[in-house]
């Protein structure tokens, strides 16, 4: 699970950036902004899941 999550986050970032640029060139700035925010939210959810897993691991290690 180590390096795969970095690749997933990078892929979401790249796709969001490319989609945003394409939409801006088409003159759809509002949709571009929405797509960028959606990509950011996807990455935040992925990171929050990792933090939740880390918290669960700490609970198991320290028997909390």
């Amino acid at each position: 699970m180590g390096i795969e999550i970095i690749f997933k986050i990078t892929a979401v970032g790249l796709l969001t950036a490319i989609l945003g640029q394409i939409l801006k060139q088409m003159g759809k700035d509002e949709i571009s902004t929405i797509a960028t925010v959606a990509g950011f939210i996807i990455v935040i959810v992925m990171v929050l899941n990792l933090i939740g897993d880390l918290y669960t691991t700490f609970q198991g290690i320290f028997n909390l």
Side-chain angles (χ1 to χ4, degrees):
M1 186 178 104
I3 194 96
E4 293 115 16
I5 192 71
I6 294 172
F7 287 141
K8 287 179 184 178
I9 290 172
T10 304
V12 170
L14 285 173
L15 290 173
T16 302
I18 292 169
L19 181 64
Q21 290 299 317
I22 291 171
L23 288 171
K24 279 187 181 181
Q25 288 179 357
M26 292 175 59
K28 304 195 184 256
D29 292 332
E30 294 85 12
I31 298 173
S32 172
T33 303
I34 291 171
T36 303
V37 170
F40 181 72
I41 290 172
I42 290 169
V43 171
I44 291 296
V45 168
M46 292 168 73
V47 170
L48 287 176
N49 284 334
L50 288 173
I51 291 172
D53 292 344
L54 180 65
Y55 180 72
T56 303
T57 303
F58 279 154
Q59 279 184 330
I61 290 173
F62 297 115
N63 296 323
L64 298 176

